[in-house]
Amino acid sequence: MICNYTVIICANIFTSNKWFITFEVIMKQLYYQFYSFLKQTLFMKSRVLSAVFLCQLVFISFNIYAQSAMTCGFDDARKKAIAENPDILIRERMQEDYIKEFERNYRKGSRGAREDKIIIPIVFHIVHQGGPENISDAQIYDQMRILNEDYNKLNKDTNIVVSAFDSLVANVGIEFRLAKIDPNGNCTNGIDRIYSVQTYQGNDYSKLNMWPRSKYLNVWVVKTMENGVAGYAYIPSTVAIENANRPMDGIIILQQYIGSIQTANATRSRALTHEIGHYLNLYHPWGSDNEPGVACGDDLVKDTPTTKGSTTCNLNLSDCLPGTIENVQNFMDYSYCSVMFTEGQKIRMLAAVNDTTARRSTLISQANLAAVGVLDSFTSPCPPKAAFSANKSFACLGTKIRFTDNSYNGEVDAREWTISNAVQTVLTDPVIDVDFIQPGWQTVSLKVLNAFGESIATDTMAVYISEAPTVYTAPYSEDFEDEARFKADWTILNPERNRNQFSRTSDASASGNSSVLVNNYYSLQDADIDELISPPIDISGLTNNDLTLTFDYSLATKNTDFSIDLMDSIVVYGSMNCGTQWYQVYNNGKTSLVNGGYKAGYYVPNGPYEVYWKKLKGTIPSTIRAGKEVRFKFQVFSTTKGNNFYIDNINIGNAIVETGILDKTSVSNISIYPNPTTKESMVDIELKEATNVSVTLYDITGSMVTSLVKDQLLNQGSNMVRIDDNATPSKGIYMVGIKSNGVEVFRKLVKQ
């Protein structure tokens, strides 16, 4: 009987007019119907046992989708804006007065607003670094279809609206169209692709190249959102007066929430419908001062009942007013079975687009629609402008690289790819997978054309293909003293193609003569990114105690305020498949790295190690510990407020290298004996002349253990310094630092 009942539920779902579009809605509906059935009919033990299996299936499927519930950053963004400018609350009250007047006129039949089709021009800014966040045109077109269905009651799943609300499902009557003319009067397809590390920030500062909000609805698509939300927008009164320091108006959203295909899916495809609701002055159904499920609240719309809000699809929810079903299926809820706006929400949105607040009424004016090319009468006699992107900037021979045609301006009728050093050298598809047969930087060209003209884009550094260089065995260290080895083994990537990039320098070093530098003194943009990739290293033989990566760094800032949001930072990754997958080894997170203080000029850390340099340590993750050819990537994020960023003495697996050039000091020779030792050792320091010397003992992480000699005048010739048994209490590797003339050199000491 249980199985029969389940089949009946499924049959009713799929054969009735109220059929479910997505699997998660089916499973949620099954859960509530089936659970109710079990409570009423299960008495016998055998039935309980069989029900347990079915309940587990329902709960597992239900939880899969509950875990992916969307979170919107609207409330937090609004509160932050109000904290910065409390006058926003006054503007909110004024707009509410306007909405009440608009609704009175609307219900009287004299709405005092335009009666023809409402069209909103839209532009998608795809902020990317060549990864999955650089979504295809097809995915954006699919999102446009979903928006226009949802806002015009054309979405088929309105058929599943519960009886309490099926008479309130609104045809809002707003159509969204991709702009055809950009702010400079040029042709566009309404898709603006921006290569920037800001795709990882996901906040107002990621809203790059904002087109005038009086002419376009701006949507920014990014890879990562601040605070882990899916996206956010502001209501018109919050942005009535734009913030002069950062763009605000518009929507910013994660790439996997755009459309229902490719990197997205149907489950997440209504997120932009939700965010545009905020843009058009809708609140969450539970209000704006609490999270869903916490307390009953109201959204200032008469036909949406008071609710706590939902992150599940309980269609019979009635927590706030006994006997009153809550509008769980509303697009502004979090239930993931959202399929509708109400008539009251429609009026509120129509009021927004007919109001001058935040320039919404200008946006939909006939003059603007003609100016941005979205009227039916518009024709676009424009040639395409070639553009493309690669899904990787670094790979090894044998790895296929995917290139995507991102051409804009006019429709592409035909294309031709020309690829150097590849198995196939001429291709015509919009997306191609290329297998390069020669190492080095690769040249790729794309020619696109239509009846109105053609253009060609060529990139001589489209991707770096690494050959099979020397594989080193950990423990491994790199002090950048050998220029030839550095050039042969290490790969420098400069995604922004600007003056900021890694280079070897002899200006400064933690020890020895050289280090590597990101010359950020000249930075002209925030969140610039530069990368340095190591040669392959076999780390499979490292023990648990040796699964570490350490390095010295030095960084100064040109900023006197250390509390700014964007600070220079570094992330280190490891990959055992030549960059196909990277796993994090170290990330400074929110911690400021500035250890060289404020420097207005070009920063060079010339001075004592302990003042100008600092050692950082990361743990090699389990995902790559078996790797026989692991590459490590040092990724530095720079800002206009930062200064030069130096790195030295990279150490993988606790390798200890005797570093330091004696020619820079008064020291002619250093000997430590016995070494290894079981108890004490002696350090013999030979000096060319009498001079002040400091001798310091460090542990393997670079932390000071003890000062053996502190800036003491030693004689010319041999000087003996004792390291007693108490100074090295545990077995392991230590470093002895000998400093003279402001330069410190190091020697290894092993305690057995």
Side-chain angles (χ1 to χ4, degrees):
M1 178 179 177
I2 295 172
C3 292
N4 290 340
Y5 187 79
T6 305
V7 171
I8 290 171
I9 294 174
C10 293
N12 287 340
I13 289 171
F14 285 108
T15 59
S16 71
N17 287 332
K18 297 184 177 183
W19 60 286
F20 287 76
I21 300 301
T22 55
F23 176 75
E24 77 277 7
V25 178
I26 297 173
M27 296 313 300
K28 291 174 183 178
Q29 187 74 356
L30 273 172
Y31 164 71
Y32 290 111
Q33 293 190 37
F34 190 60
Y35 178 69
S36 176
F37 167 77
L38 288 175
K39 288 201 303 184
Q40 298 175 31
T41 63
L42 292 179
F43 300 99
M44 295 187 302
K45 182 177 180 180
S46 61
R47 288 184 177 179
V48 172
L49 290 173
S50 56
V52 168
F53 171 75
L54 290 172
C55 283
Q56 286 176 336
L57 175 63
V58 171
F59 274 103
I60 289 171
S61 300
F62 174 78
N63 287 334
I64 288 173
Y65 290 93
Q67 290 169 4
S68 64
M70 183 190 82
T71 55
C72 165
F74 162 74
D75 291 331
D76 289 341
R78 172 178 170 269
K79 290 173 184 176
K80 182 178 179 180
I82 291 171
E84 294 173 354
N85 182 7
D87 288 347
I88 289 173
L89 293 172
I90 299 174
R91 295 201 295 267
E92 285 184 3
R93 289 193 292 270
M94 293 173 61
Q95 191 166 35
E96 290 305 318
D97 291 341
Y98 161 78
I99 292 170
K100 291 176 183 177
E101 181 66 22
F102 181 93
E103 183 175 3
R104 283 193 291 269
N105 292 333
Y106 184 90
R107 296 191 182 281
K108 290 177 183 178
S110 57
R111 53 188 276 198
R114 45 186 309 112
E115 296 287 348
D116 52 346
K117 181 187 297 183
I118 296 175
I119 299 172
I120 293 181
I122 190 169
V123 55
F124 285 83
H125 305 280
I126 314 301
V127 186
H128 71 96
Q129 282 217 309
E133 71 279 3
N134 188 24
I135 59 177
S136 70
D137 291 1
Q139 193 167 333
I140 296 168
Y141 298 150
D142 185 61
Q143 177 65 78
M144 293 296 293
R145 171 189 63 80
I146 293 167
L147 286 178
N148 286 322
E149 288 177 355
D150 290 349
Y151 277 83
N152 291 277
K153 199 181 175 182
L154 297 173
N155 51 309
K156 294 178 181 178
D157 46 11
T158 55
N159 290 330
I160 69 169
V161 175
V162 297
S163 58
F165 294 98
D166 58 4
S167 63
L168 294 176
V169 181
N171 175 359
V172 181
I174 294 177
E175 181 180 350
F176 300 90
R177 295 185 180 182
L178 289 167
K180 296 298 182 184
I181 301 294
D182 73 9
N184 298 317
N186 300 315
C187 293
T188 180
N189 60 356
I191 302 171
D192 175 34
R193 297 185 185 273
I194 306 167
Y195 193 92
S196 173
V197 72
Q198 279 289 353
T199 191
Y200 300 108
Q201 299 292 336
N203 55 28
D204 285 344
Y205 296 100
S206 305
K207 296 175 179 177
L208 305 176
N209 195 33
M210 182 179 186
W211 292 10
R213 63 174 179 161
S214 61
K215 300 171 74 67
Y216 310 89
L217 163 54
N218 289 270
V219 177
W220 288 269
V221 179
V222 295
K223 184 173 185 177
T224 305
M225 284 293 299
E226 188 176 69
N227 301 326
V229 300
Y232 68 88
Y234 295 96
I235 56 175
S237 53
T238 303
V239 291
I241 300 174
E242 269 282 61
N243 188 319
N245 297 318
R246 69 178 191 268
M248 295 177 67
D249 204 1
I251 296 153
I252 185 165
I253 190 168
L254 289 172
Q255 53 89 13
Q256 62 264 42
Y257 287 83
I258 294 295
S260 63
I261 62 174
Q262 297 172 0
T263 71
N265 60 45
T267 306
R268 299 189 290 257
S269 63
R270 262 52 185 274
L272 189 57
T273 299
H274 175 107
E275 298 303 339
I276 289 178
H278 289 313
Y279 174 86
L280 296 176
N281 212 25
L282 296 185
Y283 292 89
H284 291 134
W286 60 88
S288 61
D289 295 322
N290 61 277
E291 295 297 321
V294 176
C296 297
D298 180 64
D299 62 353
L300 306 179
V301 178
K302 294 177 181 178
D303 58 6
T304 57
T306 299
T307 183
K308 287 183 180 178
S310 306
T311 55
T312 62
C313 194
N314 181 358
L315 302 181
N316 297 313
L317 185 67
S318 181
D319 282 352
C320 292
L321 298 174
T324 300
I325 300 297
E326 296 169 29
N327 191 199
V328 172
Q329 293 172 298
N330 197 286
F331 281 129
M332 301 310 293
D333 211 326
Y334 284 4
S335 65
Y336 265 82
C337 56
S338 303
V339 298
M340 64 169 288
F341 290 115
T342 68
E343 286 293 332
Q345 288 175 315
K346 169 185 175 178
I347 295 172
R348 191 174 178 89
M349 287 189 280
L350 293 178
V353 296
N354 283 281
D355 188 12
T356 58
T357 302
R359 309 297 295 275
R360 299 294 189 262
S361 59
T362 306
L363 183 72
I364 68 169
S365 68
Q366 288 293 300
N368 183 58
L369 300 180
V372 300
V374 297
L375 293 178
D376 294 333
S377 58
F378 177 78
T379 58
S380 178
C382 301
K385 291 186 178 180
F388 63 88
S389 61
N391 67 333
K392 297 178 186 297
S393 57
F394 172 87
C396 285
L397 285 171
T399 302
K400 290 187 181 295
I401 307 298
R402 174 161 291 185
F403 293 94
T404 301
D405 180 357
N406 294 330
S407 301
Y408 58 100
N409 203 57
E411 296 294 327
V412 176
D413 291 338
R415 71 182 56 77
E416 182 180 287
W417 298 88
T418 303
I419 314 292
S420 67
N421 302 323
V423 175
Q424 292 175 283
T425 57
V426 179
L427 299 159
T428 59
D429 293 334
V431 179
I432 59 172
D433 292 320
V434 178
D435 190 358
F436 291 96
I437 58 177
Q438 295 292 331
W441 288 106
Q442 306 299 322
T443 298
V444 176
S445 292
L446 172 63
K447 177 181 178 181
V448 292
L449 63 145
N450 63 18
F452 303 102
E454 65 180 48
S455 68
I456 299 176
T458 299
D459 189 348
T460 59
M461 300 174 67
V463 61
Y464 185 84
I465 301 298
S466 176
E467 58 184 339
T470 302
V471 178
Y472 293 90
T473 300
Y476 168 89
S477 66
E478 177 59 70
D479 58 9
F480 304 106
E481 297 300 310
D482 189 331
E483 182 176 8
R485 190 176 88 156
F486 173 70
K487 289 182 177 179
D489 291 345
W490 290 75
T491 303
I492 296 170
L493 299 180
N494 180 16
E496 308 289 345
R497 311 287 178 87
N498 58 17
R499 190 171 181 177
N500 287 33
Q501 63 177 329
F502 272 101
S503 63
R504 181 176 173 273
T505 179
S506 297
D507 288 345
S509 62
S511 61
N513 283 324
S514 302
S515 62
V516 289
L517 157 73
V518 177
N519 54 336
N520 187 47
Y521 175 73
Y522 301 103
S523 180
L524 298 176
Q525 65 183 77
D526 275 325
D528 183 81
I529 188 169
D530 291 281
E531 297 175 339
L532 180 68
I533 300 176
S534 76
I537 302 166
D538 183 352
I539 65 171
S540 61
L542 294 179
T543 63
N544 288 338
N545 292 331
D546 294 331
L547 290 166
T548 59
L549 180 149
T550 64
F551 60 97
D552 295 324
Y553 84 93
S554 186
L555 169 68
T557 179
K558 301 193 295 286
N559 180 44
T560 55
D561 179 7
F562 283 32
S563 65
I564 60 171
D565 293 334
L566 289 174
M567 296 294 289
D568 293 40
S569 60
I570 187 169
V571 184
V572 182
Y573 299 94
S575 173
M576 57 190 294
N577 50 20
C578 200
T580 298
Q581 294 171 299
W582 292 102
Y583 297 95
Q584 185 171 291
V585 176
Y586 173 82
N587 187 346
N588 68 288
K590 298 291 185 181
T591 304
S592 173
L593 288 178
V594 173
N595 65 325
Y598 167 74
K599 302 292 181 183
Y602 189 92
Y603 175 56
V604 178
N606 286 328
Y609 174 92
E610 64 270 17
V611 175
Y612 289 98
W613 292 86
K614 184 177 180 181
K615 190 175 294 293
L616 296 177
K617 180 179 179 180
T619 301
I620 298 173
S622 59
T623 46
I624 61 173
R625 288 178 183 176
K628 294 183 180 297
E629 294 189 18
V630 176
R631 287 169 169 82
F632 292 91
K633 177 169 68 174
F634 293 75
Q635 189 177 75
V636 171
F637 294 81
S638 304
T639 71
T640 55
K641 302 294 185 181
N643 209 311
N644 295 331
F645 198 130
Y646 295 83
I647 295 175
D648 201 1
N649 296 331
I650 295 170
N651 188 315
I652 297 163
N654 286 336
I656 297 297
V657 175
E658 296 179 356
T659 59
I661 305 300
L662 297 182
D663 289 344
K664 281 191 171 185
T665 75
S666 296
V667 180
S668 59
N669 189 46
I670 301 170
S671 300
I672 302 177
Y673 58 91
N675 189 13
T677 184
T678 57
K679 291 186 177 181
E680 66 178 30
S681 289
M682 298 298 294
V683 183
D684 186 358
I685 306 170
E686 293 185 19
L687 297 178
K688 304 169 190 175
E689 57 189 8
T691 188
N692 283 8
V693 174
S694 293
V695 183
T696 308
L697 186 67
Y698 301 89
D699 66 16
I700 189 64
T701 68
S703 299
M704 187 178 78
V705 175
T706 186
S707 175
L708 302 170
V709 175
K710 189 171 183 180
D711 200 26
Q712 181 177 330
L713 180 63
L714 299 185
N715 297 321
Q716 181 182 8
S718 177
N719 296 268
M720 306 299 293
V721 178
R722 181 171 174 265
I723 304 176
D724 63 32
D725 193 30
N726 293 329
T728 55
S730 59
K731 296 179 181 179
I733 299 173
Y734 295 82
M735 292 290 287
V736 180
I738 299 94
K739 181 189 294 183
S740 71
N741 297 344
V743 177
E744 190 170 24
V745 295
F746 299 89
R747 293 297 181 263
K748 177 174 63 176
L749 171 64
V750 179
K751 177 71 173 289
Q752 294 181 335

